[in-house]
Amino acid sequence: MQGGLFQRFSSAVAVGAGRPAAFLVAVGLIVDWAASGPLFGFSTTWQLVVNTVTTIVTFLMVFVLQHSQNRDSEALQAKLDDLIVAVSRADNRLVGAEKLSSHELKALRQSVRQEARNGEATIRTGTGPAEGATPAEPPR
């Protein structure tokens, strides 16, 4: 697996943060913090510690997890594009559809739905593709 330091770090953090152990550690830290309240007299500094730490961790996790999500999305799109190209009946206009504007994507989806409806009508009348072939299910 190729990748820079940040990529390896963000992948490891995303995997680790999604585990039950990470949740249990977070709960444990909050319980410890709450239990230490009487020791510090529930002071403003005591409250500020948890607020500051959670804010910083949340801020950094947004970037780490977004990077991981972007990579996963890119990989998924590449796999889908490959499947579209490999399937002879697939519409090659769908390759790279994720890069279209919202308006273009809506028009493309409507076109695909209409083609799916036309394909179903063709199969029902017996003038469609070879026996055993089925039309693509329209997107929902």
Side-chain angles (χ1 to χ4, degrees):
M1 177 169 113
Q2 288 280 8
L5 180 62
F6 182 71
Q7 179 181 323
R8 289 191 306 269
F9 172 76
S10 66
S11 294
V13 169
V15 168
R19 295 205 168 141
F23 176 76
L24 293 175
V25 167
V27 168
L29 289 171
I30 295 300
V31 167
D32 288 347
W33 169 79
S36 70
L39 181 66
F40 294 101
F42 299 102
S43 68
T44 306
T45 303
W46 171 79
Q47 293 176 30
L48 188 60
V49 166
V50 77
N51 289 336
T52 302
V53 169
T54 56
T55 299
I56 290 170
V57 169
T58 301
F59 180 75
L60 296 176
M61 286 297 286
V62 165
F63 297 104
V64 168
L65 295 177
Q66 186 62 52
H67 175 75
S68 182
Q69 180 68 35
N70 289 348
R71 285 193 35 73
D72 289 349
S73 292
E74 288 282 329
L76 182 62
Q77 287 304 322
K79 292 173 186 180
L80 290 173
D81 288 348
D82 186 50
L83 288 173
I84 291 168
V85 170
V87 175
S88 61
R89 288 184 49 204
D91 187 344
N92 287 338
R93 293 177 302 164
L94 298 173
V95 173
E98 69 279 2
K99 294 182 176 119
L100 297 175
S101 70
S102 295
H103 178 71
E104 292 168 325
L105 189 55
K106 185 175 182 179
L108 179 61
R109 289 188 71 206
Q110 287 174 342
S111 172
V112 170
R113 284 183 183 147
Q114 186 60 45
E115 289 172 17
R117 283 188 210 101
N118 292 344
E120 288 172 357
T122 302
I123 287 174
R124 272 188 250 130
T125 60
T127 60
E131 187 176 289
T134 57
E137 184 176 320
R140 297 174 196 213

